[in-house]
Amino acid sequence: MKERIYYVRGTDELRKKALRAAKLVRAINMHDLEDDKGKEELIRELFGTVGESPCVEDNFHCDLGTNIHVGDHFYAGFNCTILDMAEVRIGDHCMFGPNVSLYTAGHKITPRNRNKDGYGIPITIGNDVWIGGSSVILPGVSIGDNSIVAAGSVVTKDVPSNVIVAGNPAKVLRVIEEE
């Protein structure tokens, strides 16, 4: 089982971090479409680390931003949501289609105080990964280099390198052969 990072909702520290992120997310989503450089600066301010030439399309959302680390040439399509209560590491040359969601956050199964605290489990995505539109990546998942997540998939378990996965829950369809 992967390490869980526990948090308590409503603390002053978490509220400050979330407010900072919300302001930067709003600035990114409202930014002048012709000012790529200015938008990139906002992305760099929001995310923990950023490689070369990041692109995040409109209607992006995240919890804190500082737990998101992206490599070179990261692309997130419209309506991307990254719940980053734990670390999210994304490699170089990764592409997300529209409506892709990454969820590190989770809550207790028992109802008592479920809404007062929670946990996060890190997500890791390798290099050259393509995640198709409307896919969901759940807490604790790692996706290996060069893999493809087909549109509409729900990834509940680790994905090896060089494969195509699809479905709910996502399963390996085939191995990607070198050209």
Side-chain angles (χ1 to χ4, degrees):
M1 182 176 249
K2 297 184 182 178
E3 182 184 358
R4 293 181 181 205
I5 293 94
Y6 291 93
Y7 63 90
V8 177
R9 295 178 68 185
T11 64
D12 285 340
E13 180 184 358
L14 193 55
R15 198 177 357 256
K16 283 180 189 174
K17 289 178 179 180
L19 181 60
R20 173 195 168 275
K23 288 178 181 179
L24 286 166
V25 164
R26 179 175 289 166
I28 288 168
N29 290 332
M30 303 287 286
H31 202 74
D32 180 356
L33 297 174
E34 295 178 352
D35 183 14
D36 292 337
K37 193 167 189 81
K39 189 171 186 178
E40 182 176 326
E41 288 173 13
L42 290 168
I43 293 166
R44 289 183 184 286
E45 188 175 347
L46 175 63
F47 289 0
T49 56
V50 179
E52 292 180 23
S53 303
C55 180
V56 174
E57 298 291 359
D58 290 345
N59 206 24
F60 173 80
H61 296 281
C62 67
D63 286 320
L64 306 175
T66 54
N67 287 330
I68 301 170
H69 304 275
V70 300
D72 295 341
H73 307 285
F74 170 68
Y75 174 81
F78 297 102
N79 305 315
C80 180
T81 298
I82 301 176
L83 301 186
D84 65 315
M85 294 309 292
E87 204 169 73
V88 175
R89 293 214 168 261
I90 301 167
D92 295 336
H93 307 283
C94 289
M95 301 185 304
F96 293 3
N99 304 307
V100 166
S101 297
L102 281 64
Y103 303 146
T104 67
H107 299 278
K108 302 186 236 187
I109 294 172
T110 57
R112 186 175 182 171
N113 295 323
R114 183 185 292 152
N115 64 339
K116 293 187 178 178
D117 55 25
Y119 62 85
I121 307 174
I123 292 173
T124 303
I125 298 173
N127 296 317
D128 298 298
V129 173
W130 173 19
I131 300 178
S134 299
S135 291
V136 177
I137 313 302
L138 293 182
V141 166
S142 292
I143 300 175
D145 293 344
N146 309 315
S147 287
I148 297 171
V149 176
S153 296
V154 178
V155 183
T156 61
K157 295 185 173 151
D158 289 353
V159 173
S161 295
N162 302 302
V163 297
I164 299 172
V165 298
N168 179 5
K171 295 187 182 341
V172 175
L173 293 182
R174 71 181 187 114
V175 173
I176 299 170
E177 303 292 334
E178 286 293 322
E179 292 182 88

